[in-house]
mmCIF file with all atom_site columns, all heavy atoms in Angstrom:
data_model
loop_
_atom_site.group_PDB
_atom_site.id
_atom_site.type_symbol
_atom_site.label_atom_id
_atom_site.label_alt_id
_atom_site.label_comp_id
_atom_site.label_asym_id
_atom_site.label_entity_id
_atom_site.label_seq_id
_atom_site.pdbx_PDB_ins_code
_atom_site.Cartn_x
_atom_site.Cartn_y
_atom_site.Cartn_z
_atom_site.occupancy
_atom_site.B_iso_or_equiv
_atom_site.pdbx_formal_charge
_atom_site.auth_seq_id
_atom_site.auth_comp_id
_atom_site.auth_asym_id
_atom_site.auth_atom_id
_atom_site.pdbx_PDB_model_num
ATOM 1   N N   . ARG A 1 1  ? 8.843  -18.397 23.235 1.00 97.00 ? 974 ARG A N   1
ATOM 2   C CA  . ARG A 1 1  ? 9.157  -18.796 21.855 1.00 97.00 ? 974 ARG A CA  1
ATOM 3   C C   . ARG A 1 1  ? 8.105  -18.293 20.869 1.00 97.00 ? 974 ARG A C   1
ATOM 4   O O   . ARG A 1 1  ? 8.404  -18.052 19.704 1.00 97.00 ? 974 ARG A O   1
ATOM 5   C CB  . ARG A 1 1  ? 9.267  -20.312 21.757 1.00 97.00 ? 974 ARG A CB  1
ATOM 6   C CG  . ARG A 1 1  ? 10.525 -20.846 22.440 1.00 97.00 ? 974 ARG A CG  1
ATOM 7   C CD  . ARG A 1 1  ? 10.649 -22.338 22.316 1.00 97.00 ? 974 ARG A CD  1
ATOM 8   N NE  . ARG A 1 1  ? 10.843 -22.671 20.914 1.00 97.00 ? 974 ARG A NE  1
ATOM 9   C CZ  . ARG A 1 1  ? 10.493 -23.840 20.379 1.00 97.00 ? 974 ARG A CZ  1
ATOM 10  N NH1 . ARG A 1 1  ? 9.931  -24.770 21.112 1.00 97.00 ? 974 ARG A NH1 1
ATOM 11  N NH2 . ARG A 1 1  ? 10.711 -24.071 19.102 1.00 97.00 ? 974 ARG A NH2 1
ATOM 12  N N   . SER A 1 2  ? 6.870  -18.112 21.333 1.00 97.00 ? 975 SER A N   1
ATOM 13  C CA  . SER A 1 2  ? 5.809  -17.645 20.435 1.00 97.00 ? 975 SER A CA  1
ATOM 14  C C   . SER A 1 2  ? 5.755  -16.126 20.332 1.00 97.00 ? 975 SER A C   1
ATOM 15  O O   . SER A 1 2  ? 4.903  -15.585 19.636 1.00 97.00 ? 975 SER A O   1
ATOM 16  C CB  . SER A 1 2  ? 4.451  -18.190 20.884 1.00 97.00 ? 975 SER A CB  1
ATOM 17  O OG  . SER A 1 2  ? 4.124  -17.698 22.168 1.00 97.00 ? 975 SER A OG  1
ATOM 18  N N   . GLY A 1 3  ? 6.660  -15.428 21.024 1.00 97.00 ? 976 GLY A N   1
ATOM 19  C CA  . GLY A 1 3  ? 6.714  -13.975 20.929 1.00 97.00 ? 976 GLY A CA  1
ATOM 20  C C   . GLY A 1 3  ? 6.718  -13.303 22.284 1.00 97.00 ? 976 GLY A C   1
ATOM 21  O O   . GLY A 1 3  ? 6.630  -13.949 23.327 1.00 97.00 ? 976 GLY A O   1
ATOM 22  N N   . GLU A 1 4  ? 6.836  -11.982 22.228 1.00 98.00 ? 977 GLU A N   1
ATOM 23  C CA  . GLU A 1 4  ? 6.896  -11.177 23.448 1.00 98.00 ? 977 GLU A CA  1
ATOM 24  C C   . GLU A 1 4  ? 5.645  -11.393 24.291 1.00 98.00 ? 977 GLU A C   1
ATOM 25  O O   . GLU A 1 4  ? 4.542  -11.504 23.771 1.00 98.00 ? 977 GLU A O   1
ATOM 26  C CB  . GLU A 1 4  ? 7.028  -9.702  23.065 1.00 98.00 ? 977 GLU A CB  1
ATOM 27  C CG  . GLU A 1 4  ? 7.171  -8.786  24.263 1.00 98.00 ? 977 GLU A CG  1
ATOM 28  C CD  . GLU A 1 4  ? 7.333  -7.342  23.859 1.00 98.00 ? 977 GLU A CD  1
ATOM 29  O OE1 . GLU A 1 4  ? 6.299  -6.687  23.589 1.00 98.00 ? 977 GLU A OE1 1
ATOM 30  O OE2 . GLU A 1 4  ? 8.476  -6.875  23.804 1.00 98.00 ? 977 GLU A OE2 1
ATOM 31  N N   . LYS A 1 5  ? 5.863  -11.445 25.607 1.00 97.00 ? 978 LYS A N   1
ATOM 32  C CA  . LYS A 1 5  ? 4.747  -11.620 26.532 1.00 97.00 ? 978 LYS A CA  1
ATOM 33  C C   . LYS A 1 5  ? 4.872  -10.629 27.680 1.00 97.00 ? 978 LYS A C   1
ATOM 34  O O   . LYS A 1 5  ? 5.957  -10.363 28.189 1.00 97.00 ? 978 LYS A O   1
ATOM 35  C CB  . LYS A 1 5  ? 4.762  -13.024 27.148 1.00 97.00 ? 978 LYS A CB  1
ATOM 36  C CG  . LYS A 1 5  ? 4.685  -14.174 26.188 1.00 97.00 ? 978 LYS A CG  1
ATOM 37  C CD  . LYS A 1 5  ? 3.261  -14.522 25.870 1.00 97.00 ? 978 LYS A CD  1
ATOM 38  C CE  . LYS A 1 5  ? 3.124  -15.752 25.018 1.00 97.00 ? 978 LYS A CE  1
ATOM 39  N NZ  . LYS A 1 5  ? 3.712  -15.688 23.696 1.00 97.00 ? 978 LYS A NZ  1
ATOM 40  N N   . CYS A 1 6  ? 3.735  -10.127 28.091 1.00 96.00 ? 979 CYS A N   1
ATOM 41  C CA  . CYS A 1 6  ? 3.646  -9.279  29.273 1.00 96.00 ? 979 CYS A CA  1
ATOM 42  C C   . CYS A 1 6  ? 3.773  -10.173 30.502 1.00 96.00 ? 979 CYS A C   1
ATOM 43  O O   . CYS A 1 6  ? 3.361  -11.343 30.479 1.00 96.00 ? 979 CYS A O   1
ATOM 44  C CB  . CYS A 1 6  ? 2.294  -8.569  29.272 1.00 96.00 ? 979 CYS A CB  1
ATOM 45  S SG  . CYS A 1 6  ? 1.998  -7.577  30.755 1.00 96.00 ? 979 CYS A SG  1
ATOM 46  N N   . ALA A 1 7  ? 4.325  -9.634  31.572 1.00 96.00 ? 980 ALA A N   1
ATOM 47  C CA  . ALA A 1 7  ? 4.440  -10.391 32.816 1.00 96.00 ? 980 ALA A CA  1
ATOM 48  C C   . ALA A 1 7  ? 3.081  -10.908 33.266 1.00 96.00 ? 980 ALA A C   1
ATOM 49  O O   . ALA A 1 7  ? 2.970  -12.026 33.787 1.00 96.00 ? 980 ALA A O   1
ATOM 50  C CB  . ALA A 1 7  ? 5.076  -9.532  33.904 1.00 96.00 ? 980 ALA A CB  1
ATOM 51  N N   . CYS A 1 8  ? 2.029  -10.142 33.027 1.00 95.00 ? 981 CYS A N   1
ATOM 52  C CA  . CYS A 1 8  ? 0.688  -10.579 33.445 1.00 95.00 ? 981 CYS A CA  1
ATOM 53  C C   . CYS A 1 8  ? 0.265  -11.844 32.696 1.00 95.00 ? 981 CYS A C   1
ATOM 54  O O   . CYS A 1 8  ? -0.383 -12.723 33.264 1.00 95.00 ? 981 CYS A O   1
ATOM 55  C CB  . CYS A 1 8  ? -0.332 -9.464  33.251 1.00 95.00 ? 981 CYS A CB  1
ATOM 56  S SG  . CYS A 1 8  ? -0.548 -8.910  31.546 1.00 95.00 ? 981 CYS A SG  1
ATOM 57  N N   . VAL A 1 9  ? 0.637  -11.968 31.437 1.00 96.00 ? 982 VAL A N   1
ATOM 58  C CA  . VAL A 1 9  ? 0.316  -13.161 30.646 1.00 96.00 ? 982 VAL A CA  1
ATOM 59  C C   . VAL A 1 9  ? 1.107  -14.353 31.167 1.00 96.00 ? 982 VAL A C   1
ATOM 60  O O   . VAL A 1 9  ? 0.572  -15.465 31.301 1.00 96.00 ? 982 VAL A O   1
ATOM 61  C CB  . VAL A 1 9  ? 0.598  -12.919 29.145 1.00 96.00 ? 982 VAL A CB  1
ATOM 62  C CG1 . VAL A 1 9  ? 0.474  -14.202 28.345 1.00 96.00 ? 982 VAL A CG1 1
ATOM 63  C CG2 . VAL A 1 9  ? -0.339 -11.847 28.607 1.00 96.00 ? 982 VAL A CG2 1
ATOM 64  N N   . LEU A 1 10 ? 2.376  -14.136 31.467 1.00 97.00 ? 983 LEU A N   1
ATOM 65  C CA  . LEU A 1 10 ? 3.201  -15.217 32.005 1.00 97.00 ? 983 LEU A CA  1
ATOM 66  C C   . LEU A 1 10 ? 2.638  -15.704 33.342 1.00 97.00 ? 983 LEU A C   1
ATOM 67  O O   . LEU A 1 10 ? 2.591  -16.903 33.599 1.00 97.00 ? 983 LEU A O   1
ATOM 68  C CB  . LEU A 1 10 ? 4.650  -14.757 32.167 1.00 97.00 ? 983 LEU A CB  1
ATOM 69  C CG  . LEU A 1 10 ? 5.397  -14.451 30.869 1.00 97.00 ? 983 LEU A CG  1
ATOM 70  C CD1 . LEU A 1 10 ? 6.759  -13.836 31.167 1.00 97.00 ? 983 LEU A CD1 1
ATOM 71  C CD2 . LEU A 1 10 ? 5.540  -15.695 30.011 1.00 97.00 ? 983 LEU A CD2 1
ATOM 72  N N   . LEU A 1 11 ? 2.189  -14.765 34.175 1.00 96.00 ? 984 LEU A N   1
ATOM 73  C CA  . LEU A 1 11 ? 1.611  -15.141 35.469 1.00 96.00 ? 984 LEU A CA  1
ATOM 74  C C   . LEU A 1 11 ? 0.362  -15.994 35.290 1.00 96.00 ? 984 LEU A C   1
ATOM 75  O O   . LEU A 1 11 ? 0.141  -16.944 36.051 1.00 96.00 ? 984 LEU A O   1
ATOM 76  C CB  . LEU A 1 11 ? 1.272  -13.892 36.289 1.00 96.00 ? 984 LEU A CB  1
ATOM 77  C CG  . LEU A 1 11 ? 2.429  -13.231 36.998 1.00 96.00 ? 984 LEU A CG  1
ATOM 78  C CD1 . LEU A 1 11 ? 2.011  -11.887 37.580 1.00 96.00 ? 984 LEU A CD1 1
ATOM 79  C CD2 . LEU A 1 11 ? 2.990  -14.142 38.087 1.00 96.00 ? 984 LEU A CD2 1
ATOM 80  N N   . GLU A 1 12 ? -0.453 -15.676 34.310 1.00 95.00 ? 985 GLU A N   1
ATOM 81  C CA  . GLU A 1 12 ? -1.671 -16.442 34.045 1.00 95.00 ? 985 GLU A CA  1
ATOM 82  C C   . GLU A 1 12 ? -1.360 -17.875 33.625 1.00 95.00 ? 985 GLU A C   1
ATOM 83  O O   . GLU A 1 12 ? -2.124 -18.789 33.935 1.00 95.00 ? 985 GLU A O   1
ATOM 84  C CB  . GLU A 1 12 ? -2.504 -15.781 32.941 1.00 95.00 ? 985 GLU A CB  1
ATOM 85  C CG  . GLU A 1 12 ? -3.162 -14.496 33.341 1.00 95.00 ? 985 GLU A CG  1
ATOM 86  C CD  . GLU A 1 12 ? -3.843 -13.803 32.163 1.00 95.00 ? 985 GLU A CD  1
ATOM 87  O OE1 . GLU A 1 12 ? -3.896 -14.386 31.056 1.00 95.00 ? 985 GLU A OE1 1
ATOM 88  O OE2 . GLU A 1 12 ? -4.326 -12.673 32.357 1.00 95.00 ? 985 GLU A OE2 1
ATOM 89  N N   . GLN A 1 13 ? -0.266 -18.064 32.908 1.00 96.00 ? 986 GLN A N   1
ATOM 90  C CA  . GLN A 1 13 ? 0.039  -19.363 32.329 1.00 96.00 ? 986 GLN A CA  1
ATOM 91  C C   . GLN A 1 13 ? 0.950  -20.231 33.193 1.00 96.00 ? 986 GLN A C   1
ATOM 92  O O   . GLN A 1 13 ? 1.118  -21.418 32.905 1.00 96.00 ? 986 GLN A O   1
ATOM 93  C CB  . GLN A 1 13 ? 0.645  -19.179 30.937 1.00 96.00 ? 986 GLN A CB  1
ATOM 94  C CG  . GLN A 1 13 ? -0.341 -18.512 29.996 1.00 96.00 ? 986 GLN A CG  1
ATOM 95  C CD  . GLN A 1 13 ? 0.186  -18.404 28.579 1.00 96.00 ? 986 GLN A CD  1
ATOM 96  O OE1 . GLN A 1 13 ? 1.089  -19.109 28.182 1.00 96.00 ? 986 GLN A OE1 1
ATOM 97  N NE2 . GLN A 1 13 ? -0.407 -17.504 27.814 1.00 96.00 ? 986 GLN A NE2 1
ATOM 98  N N   . LEU A 1 14 ? 1.548  -19.657 34.209 1.00 96.00 ? 987 LEU A N   1
ATOM 99  C CA  . LEU A 1 14 ? 2.471  -20.399 35.066 1.00 96.00 ? 987 LEU A CA  1
ATOM 100 C C   . LEU A 1 14 ? 1.941  -20.445 36.491 1.00 96.00 ? 987 LEU A C   1
ATOM 101 O O   . LEU A 1 14 ? 1.175  -19.589 36.908 1.00 96.00 ? 987 LEU A O   1
ATOM 102 C CB  . LEU A 1 14 ? 3.849  -19.722 35.062 1.00 96.00 ? 987 LEU A CB  1
ATOM 103 C CG  . LEU A 1 14 ? 4.532  -19.621 33.704 1.00 96.00 ? 987 LEU A CG  1
ATOM 104 C CD1 . LEU A 1 14 ? 5.699  -18.651 33.785 1.00 96.00 ? 987 LEU A CD1 1
ATOM 105 C CD2 . LEU A 1 14 ? 4.991  -20.990 33.243 1.00 96.00 ? 987 LEU A CD2 1
ATOM 106 N N   . GLU A 1 15 ? 2.351  -21.436 37.220 1.00 91.00 ? 988 GLU A N   1
ATOM 107 C CA  . GLU A 1 15 ? 1.961  -21.541 38.623 1.00 91.00 ? 988 GLU A CA  1
ATOM 108 C C   . GLU A 1 15 ? 3.020  -20.872 39.492 1.00 91.00 ? 988 GLU A C   1
ATOM 109 O O   . GLU A 1 15 ? 3.719  -21.520 40.257 1.00 91.00 ? 988 GLU A O   1
ATOM 110 C CB  . GLU A 1 15 ? 1.775  -23.008 39.005 1.00 91.00 ? 988 GLU A CB  1
ATOM 111 C CG  . GLU A 1 15 ? 0.607  -23.663 38.294 1.00 91.00 ? 988 GLU A CG  1
ATOM 112 C CD  . GLU A 1 15 ? 0.419  -25.102 38.697 1.00 91.00 ? 988 GLU A CD  1
ATOM 113 O OE1 . GLU A 1 15 ? 0.888  -25.508 39.783 1.00 91.00 ? 988 GLU A OE1 1
ATOM 114 O OE2 . GLU A 1 15 ? -0.209 -25.832 37.922 1.00 91.00 ? 988 GLU A OE2 1
ATOM 115 N N   . LEU A 1 16 ? 3.129  -19.563 39.329 1.00 95.00 ? 989 LEU A N   1
ATOM 116 C CA  . LEU A 1 16 ? 4.105  -18.777 40.074 1.00 95.00 ? 989 LEU A CA  1
ATOM 117 C C   . LEU A 1 16 ? 3.421  -17.567 40.689 1.00 95.00 ? 989 LEU A C   1
ATOM 118 O O   . LEU A 1 16 ? 2.458  -17.048 40.147 1.00 95.00 ? 989 LEU A O   1
ATOM 119 C CB  . LEU A 1 16 ? 5.216  -18.268 39.142 1.00 95.00 ? 989 LEU A CB  1
ATOM 120 C CG  . LEU A 1 16 ? 6.169  -19.289 38.534 1.00 95.00 ? 989 LEU A CG  1
ATOM 121 C CD1 . LEU A 1 16 ? 7.064  -18.614 37.493 1.00 95.00 ? 989 LEU A CD1 1
ATOM 122 C CD2 . LEU A 1 16 ? 7.018  -19.935 39.612 1.00 95.00 ? 989 LEU A CD2 1
ATOM 123 N N   . THR A 1 17 ? 3.980  -17.115 41.796 1.00 96.00 ? 990 THR A N   1
ATOM 124 C CA  . THR A 1 17 ? 3.532  -15.842 42.355 1.00 96.00 ? 990 THR A CA  1
ATOM 125 C C   . THR A 1 17 ? 4.227  -14.729 41.585 1.00 96.00 ? 990 THR A C   1
ATOM 126 O O   . THR A 1 17 ? 5.181  -14.974 40.828 1.00 96.00 ? 990 THR A O   1
ATOM 127 C CB  . THR A 1 17 ? 3.929  -15.736 43.840 1.00 96.00 ? 990 THR A CB  1
ATOM 128 O OG1 . THR A 1 17 ? 5.359  -15.776 43.930 1.00 96.00 ? 990 THR A OG1 1
ATOM 129 C CG2 . THR A 1 17 ? 3.327  -16.872 44.665 1.00 96.00 ? 990 THR A CG2 1
ATOM 130 N N   . GLN A 1 18 ? 3.794  -13.504 41.776 1.00 95.00 ? 991 GLN A N   1
ATOM 131 C CA  . GLN A 1 18 ? 4.430  -12.381 41.094 1.00 95.00 ? 991 GLN A CA  1
ATOM 132 C C   . GLN A 1 18 ? 5.893  -12.258 41.528 1.00 95.00 ? 991 GLN A C   1
ATOM 133 O O   . GLN A 1 18 ? 6.770  -12.033 40.698 1.00 95.00 ? 991 GLN A O   1
ATOM 134 C CB  . GLN A 1 18 ? 3.679  -11.083 41.356 1.00 95.00 ? 991 GLN A CB  1
ATOM 135 C CG  . GLN A 1 18 ? 4.218  -9.941  40.516 1.00 95.00 ? 991 GLN A CG  1
ATOM 136 C CD  . GLN A 1 18 ? 3.275  -8.760  40.457 1.00 95.00 ? 991 GLN A CD  1
ATOM 137 O OE1 . GLN A 1 18 ? 2.176  -8.802  40.997 1.00 95.00 ? 991 GLN A OE1 1
ATOM 138 N NE2 . GLN A 1 18 ? 3.687  -7.704  39.790 1.00 95.00 ? 991 GLN A NE2 1
ATOM 139 N N   . SER A 1 19 ? 6.165  -12.460 42.806 1.00 97.00 ? 992 SER A N   1
ATOM 140 C CA  . SER A 1 19 ? 7.560  -12.374 43.267 1.00 97.00 ? 992 SER A CA  1
ATOM 141 C C   . SER A 1 19 ? 8.380  -13.538 42.707 1.00 97.00 ? 992 SER A C   1
ATOM 142 O O   . SER A 1 19 ? 9.564  -13.364 42.383 1.00 97.00 ? 992 SER A O   1
ATOM 143 C CB  . SER A 1 19 ? 7.638  -12.341 44.793 1.00 97.00 ? 992 SER A CB  1
ATOM 144 O OG  . SER A 1 19 ? 7.135  -13.539 45.348 1.00 97.00 ? 992 SER A OG  1
ATOM 145 N N   . GLY A 1 20 ? 7.774  -14.707 42.567 1.00 97.00 ? 993 GLY A N   1
ATOM 146 C CA  . GLY A 1 20 ? 8.465  -15.854 41.969 1.00 97.00 ? 993 GLY A CA  1
ATOM 147 C C   . GLY A 1 20 ? 8.808  -15.599 40.514 1.00 97.00 ? 993 GLY A C   1
ATOM 148 O O   . GLY A 1 20 ? 9.923  -15.875 40.062 1.00 97.00 ? 993 GLY A O   1
ATOM 149 N N   . LEU A 1 21 ? 7.844  -15.048 39.770 1.00 97.00 ? 994 LEU A N   1
ATOM 150 C CA  . LEU A 1 21 ? 8.096  -14.723 38.370 1.00 97.00 ? 994 LEU A CA  1
ATOM 151 C C   . LEU A 1 21 ? 9.192  -13.669 38.259 1.00 97.00 ? 994 LEU A C   1
ATOM 152 O O   . LEU A 1 21 ? 10.104 -13.791 37.434 1.00 97.00 ? 994 LEU A O   1
ATOM 153 C CB  . LEU A 1 21 ? 6.823  -14.220 37.676 1.00 97.00 ? 994 LEU A CB  1
ATOM 154 C CG  . LEU A 1 21 ? 7.008  -13.803 36.219 1.00 97.00 ? 994 LEU A CG  1
ATOM 155 C CD1 . LEU A 1 21 ? 7.403  -14.999 35.352 1.00 97.00 ? 994 LEU A CD1 1
ATOM 156 C CD2 . LEU A 1 21 ? 5.751  -13.127 35.688 1.00 97.00 ? 994 LEU A CD2 1
ATOM 157 N N   . SER A 1 22 ? 9.128  -12.670 39.107 1.00 97.00 ? 995 SER A N   1
ATOM 158 C CA  . SER A 1 22 ? 10.136 -11.608 39.093 1.00 97.00 ? 995 SER A CA  1
ATOM 159 C C   . SER A 1 22 ? 11.530 -12.181 39.328 1.00 97.00 ? 995 SER A C   1
ATOM 160 O O   . SER A 1 22 ? 12.496 -11.805 38.647 1.00 97.00 ? 995 SER A O   1
ATOM 161 C CB  . SER A 1 22 ? 9.798  -10.568 40.161 1.00 97.00 ? 995 SER A CB  1
ATOM 162 O OG  . SER A 1 22 ? 10.781 -9.570  40.194 1.00 97.00 ? 995 SER A OG  1
ATOM 163 N N   . TYR A 1 23 ? 11.649 -13.105 40.261 1.00 98.00 ? 996 TYR A N   1
ATOM 164 C CA  . TYR A 1 23 ? 12.935 -13.749 40.557 1.00 98.00 ? 996 TYR A CA  1
ATOM 165 C C   . TYR A 1 23 ? 13.468 -14.473 39.318 1.00 98.00 ? 996 TYR A C   1
ATOM 166 O O   . TYR A 1 23 ? 14.629 -14.312 38.940 1.00 98.00 ? 996 TYR A O   1
ATOM 167 C CB  . TYR A 1 23 ? 12.756 -14.730 41.725 1.00 98.00 ? 996 TYR A CB  1
ATOM 168 C CG  . TYR A 1 23 ? 13.945 -15.634 41.938 1.00 98.00 ? 996 TYR A CG  1
ATOM 169 C CD1 . TYR A 1 23 ? 15.093 -15.172 42.565 1.00 98.00 ? 996 TYR A CD1 1
ATOM 170 C CD2 . TYR A 1 23 ? 13.904 -16.960 41.513 1.00 98.00 ? 996 TYR A CD2 1
ATOM 171 C CE1 . TYR A 1 23 ? 16.185 -16.004 42.754 1.00 98.00 ? 996 TYR A CE1 1
ATOM 172 C CE2 . TYR A 1 23 ? 14.991 -17.803 41.700 1.00 98.00 ? 996 TYR A CE2 1
ATOM 173 C CZ  . TYR A 1 23 ? 16.127 -17.321 42.319 1.00 98.00 ? 996 TYR A CZ  1
ATOM 174 O OH  . TYR A 1 23 ? 17.211 -18.145 42.503 1.00 98.00 ? 996 TYR A OH  1
ATOM 175 N N   . HIS A 1 24 ? 12.633 -15.282 38.687 1.00 98.00 ? 997 HIS A N   1
ATOM 176 C CA  . HIS A 1 24 ? 13.062 -16.037 37.518 1.00 98.00 ? 997 HIS A CA  1
ATOM 177 C C   . HIS A 1 24 ? 13.388 -15.123 36.330 1.00 98.00 ? 997 HIS A C   1
ATOM 178 O O   . HIS A 1 24 ? 14.360 -15.363 35.601 1.00 98.00 ? 997 HIS A O   1
ATOM 179 C CB  . HIS A 1 24 ? 12.001 -17.069 37.125 1.00 98.00 ? 997 HIS A CB  1
ATOM 180 C CG  . HIS A 1 24 ? 11.881 -18.180 38.110 1.00 98.00 ? 997 HIS A CG  1
ATOM 181 N ND1 . HIS A 1 24 ? 12.913 -19.047 38.399 1.00 98.00 ? 997 HIS A ND1 1
ATOM 182 C CD2 . HIS A 1 24 ? 10.848 -18.569 38.899 1.00 98.00 ? 997 HIS A CD2 1
ATOM 183 C CE1 . HIS A 1 24 ? 12.526 -19.920 39.308 1.00 98.00 ? 997 HIS A CE1 1
ATOM 184 N NE2 . HIS A 1 24 ? 11.269 -19.652 39.635 1.00 98.00 ? 997 HIS A NE2 1
ATOM 185 N N   . MET A 1 25 ? 12.615 -14.066 36.155 1.00 98.00 ? 998 MET A N   1
ATOM 186 C CA  . MET A 1 25 ? 12.869 -13.153 35.035 1.00 98.00 ? 998 MET A CA  1
ATOM 187 C C   . MET A 1 25 ? 14.176 -12.395 35.253 1.00 98.00 ? 998 MET A C   1
ATOM 188 O O   . MET A 1 25 ? 14.895 -12.114 34.295 1.00 98.00 ? 998 MET A O   1
ATOM 189 C CB  . MET A 1 25 ? 11.700 -12.189 34.846 1.00 98.00 ? 998 MET A CB  1
ATOM 190 C CG  . MET A 1 25 ? 10.389 -12.869 34.478 1.00 98.00 ? 998 MET A CG  1
ATOM 191 S SD  . MET A 1 25 ? 10.508 -14.145 33.200 1.00 98.00 ? 998 MET A SD  1
ATOM 192 C CE  . MET A 1 25 ? 11.096 -13.252 31.815 1.00 98.00 ? 998 MET A CE  1
#
């Protein structure tokens, strides 16, 4: 909601693995 984010930023802020984030995205 606050604007575009890089996957690396999302990973830093969420308790997800890279594969978990990829699945949700």
Side-chain angles (χ1 to χ4, degrees):
R974 289 181 66 206
S975 63
E977 183 179 82
K978 301 273 186 297
C979 176
C981 62
V982 171
L983 294 173
L984 281 171
E985 289 173 6
Q986 297 184 20
L987 300 166
E988 294 181 22
L989 292 172
T990 62
Q991 187 164 357
S992 63
L994 178 64
S995 178
Y996 169 77
H997 291 298
M998 297 315 299

